[in-house]
Amino acid sequence: MTNRREDCFAVGGAMLPVAQALALLDQRVTPVEGVELVPLRLARGRVLAADLLSRQARPGADNAAVDGYALAFADLAPSGPTRLDLCGRAAAGRALEGAWRPRGAIRVFTGATLPGACDTVAMQEDVTIEGESVIIPAGLRRGANRRRAGEDFAAGARLLSAGRCLQPQDIALAAAAGEASLTIRRKLRIALFSTGDELREPNTGREPDGTSGGVFDANRYLLGALLDGPGVSLHDLGILPDRAEAVRQALAAAAAGHDLLLTSGGVSAGEEDHVRAAVAELGHLHFWRLAMKPGRPLVLGQIGEAVFLGLPGNPVAAMVCFLLFCRPLLRRLMGAPAGAARRYPVVADFTFTKKAGRQEWLRGRLERRDGRLYVTPFPRQGSGIISSLVESDGLIELADEVTAVAPGAIVPFLPFDDAGDGDGDGAQAAEGDR
Ligand code: AMP
Ligand code: MG
């Protein structure tokens, strides 16, 4: 049953601005429950389920940052060089040979714990050895070439916060803290469908003959590749026909046992578009019409325990909607902050006019000239033109209120190859970066 209060088009019927749709997504979607203990080697790209606190400081003790001679700064002459007695040797991970004593120096190697009252290290290339003495030149600072205990992190420090999508360096930090595994949110179980009687599986011998209107299914391959990652367990459920009953049955069956049902096509307002009606019948709709181009028909809903996202059928629109909505949705379901695709400011190398009141994205190509990054839209912007995606570096974003773009204007750009886990703040990269 449609829950009218949760259907934002129940009143007014206006097209929802993209920002509101993203806010609604954040509100209505909750992370999956269930965690698992995952060894570090399998943790990249997974989302941490609980804060990671350090059990000990790193480094555990003051140690040498270079190969050289450890000494007590207090032993150095106020001016001129100082002669110290060589009285021991310490290497990383090994016990001190000999013992430090006042006016003594210890031969040390990078990572060796500083013995006795040693608080400073002279670099080996700066000293002179004379028999059992070390001559330390003037000018050494107190604490030079010393790594302090706990300078990386203290015992009890929060190393990583719950909700963090783990990057290689996060895994290094966990390993450095002595953790062998991490508590991670479980993988998302995602069911993927295409819809449309015209769709054919690539290379099955049922080639579209050019007159029947058949087309090869591109979206399931596009979306399958976009979804492919460590936190996802993908279930490809094939092509649904344009028949209401078949769509309803398939969605109802898939809703049990999946966290997300992702479809493309069949969500416009036409008679052959059965997907939205099926979701409304089986569960409820959060939104289904957005003020955006490409991709106006975009459905967010819920069927039982499963979130439903219905992307438009046109492949370009499907990809744009994936980057803008499905990525944040996946992050939200995984228990990470939903965030938004990262935008980078670039210089428009084109003229363009558009209607106010909706957001638009153009596929564009970057070019660096005179130290600045310029962007030019691909000449054919039809939302069925997959080659426009291939020939472009990413999306030029034109805000709701923009009606014209002139050459030289600064426009936000969303690169296709970005990890997509930014905070949506377009200011991270200086103009001309990348
Ligand atoms: P629809 O949203 O179902 O009306 O589809 C809009 C357009 O996208 C139609 O031209 C469809 O043939 C096309 N389309 C839908 N699904 C796919 C798909 N999986 N692969 C390629 N084109 C598709
Ligand atoms: Mg269709």
Side-chain angles (χ1 to χ4, degrees):
M1 286 291 292
T2 307
N3 179 339
R4 301 290 290 177
R5 276 175 304 129
E6 301 222 337
D7 178 353
C8 45
F9 296 99
V11 185
M15 286 197 283
L16 193 66
V18 170
Q20 279 183 36
L22 282 169
L24 210 57
L25 182 156
D26 216 28
Q27 243 174 48
R28 300 278 165 89
V29 175
T30 51
V32 296
E33 284 173 10
V35 300
E36 54 193 355
L37 199 62
V38 168
L40 289 190
R41 290 213 187 280
L42 300 176
R44 187 190 63 81
R46 305 294 300 277
V47 173
L48 198 62
D51 289 354
L52 178 67
L53 305 180
S54 67
R55 289 181 283 192
Q56 62 208 42
R58 179 177 197 279
D62 287 8
N63 66 74
V66 296
D67 291 347
Y69 293 83
L71 51 91
F73 184 80
D75 285 342
L76 296 181
S79 62
T82 308
R83 176 180 294 265
L84 300 174
D85 302 330
L86 192 53
C87 56
R89 184 180 191 278
R94 277 206 241 131
L96 169 67
E97 295 163 23
W100 181 83
R101 58 178 185 267
R103 300 201 52 79
I106 304 282
R107 175 68 167 133
V108 289
F109 300 90
T110 305
T113 298
L114 296 184
C118 293
D119 57 1
T120 301
V121 179
M123 287 173 79
Q124 62 186 20
E125 42 274 61
D126 294 341
V127 310
T128 310
I129 306 295
E130 285 181 7
E132 290 303 298
S133 299
V134 190
I135 318 293
I136 311 291
L140 204 58
R141 277 179 302 103
R142 183 192 295 275
N145 304 311
R146 168 183 55 171
R147 297 174 182 155
R148 299 305 299 259
E151 72 176 16
D152 195 350
F153 49 80
R158 183 162 61 191
L159 299 177
L160 298 167
S161 301
R164 175 106 176 161
C165 182
L166 294 166
Q167 300 184 319
Q169 57 270 38
D170 302 334
I171 292 165
L173 193 66
E179 305 295 333
S181 52
L182 292 168
T183 306
I184 301 290
R185 293 264 184 181
R186 70 162 172 77
K187 288 191 184 202
L188 300 184
R189 298 162 306 180
I190 302 181
L192 177 64
F193 299 93
S194 286
T195 72
D197 285 340
E198 76 282 26
L199 298 182
R200 308 281 181 268
E201 196 61 35
N203 211 15
T204 51
R206 293 171 63 213
E207 269 79 28
D209 62 10
T211 56
S212 64
V215 293
F216 290 120
D217 182 355
N219 291 353
R220 248 165 66 247
Y221 293 88
L222 169 72
L223 298 170
L226 285 165
L227 287 167
D228 187 35
V232 166
S233 162
L234 184 66
H235 202 178
D236 184 342
L237 293 174
I239 300 168
L240 290 176
D242 287 320
R243 277 187 289 111
E245 185 50 30
V247 171
R248 208 162 37 231
Q249 273 180 17
L251 293 183
H258 291 104
D259 304 303
L260 173 64
L261 312 181
L262 187 65
T263 66
S264 65
V267 288
S268 312
E271 288 160 30
E272 298 294 341
D273 296 319
H274 304 290
V275 176
R276 177 164 49 88
V279 178
E281 240 169 87
L282 296 167
H284 56 258
L285 299 169
H286 298 314
F287 58 71
W288 54 273
R289 236 163 37 122
L290 300 195
M292 66 184 289
K293 185 185 174 186
R296 188 171 64 148
L298 176 72
V299 174
L300 181 71
Q302 183 85 29
I303 303 176
E305 295 293 301
V307 173
F308 174 87
L309 186 68
L311 302 173
N314 277 307
V316 171
M319 179 151 173
V320 169
C321 290
F322 184 93
L323 299 178
L324 291 163
F325 288 94
C326 195
R327 279 244 170 97
L329 171 59
L330 295 175
R331 291 174 55 81
R332 181 87 180 114
L333 280 170
M334 286 177 185
R342 253 189 205 135
R343 276 86 166 154
Y344 300 87
V346 300
V347 186
D349 207 8
F350 60 94
T351 303
F352 192 77
T353 54
K354 75 177 254 300
K355 286 187 193 158
R358 72 177 182 209
Q359 236 174 318
E360 285 195 31
W361 287 269
L362 307 173
R363 279 127 283 148
R365 183 166 237 178
L366 296 174
E367 191 195 341
R368 188 182 284 278
R369 284 202 312 269
D370 311 324
R372 303 180 90 194
L373 270 183
Y374 289 84
V375 68
T376 319
F378 188 75
R380 282 164 290 125
Q381 290 285 331
S383 67
I385 298 180
I386 301 177
S387 50
S388 71
L389 292 167
V390 174
E391 295 300 322
S392 297
D393 297 314
L395 302 174
I396 306 162
E397 182 171 83
L398 306 176
D400 290 340
E401 68 281 3
V402 168
T403 54
V405 179
I410 302 299
V411 289
F413 188 77
L414 293 74
F416 287 142
D417 60 5
D418 212 58
D421 55 355
D423 56 10
D425 176 359
Q428 297 104 327
E431 190 183 315
D433 271 9
R434 288 187 82 246

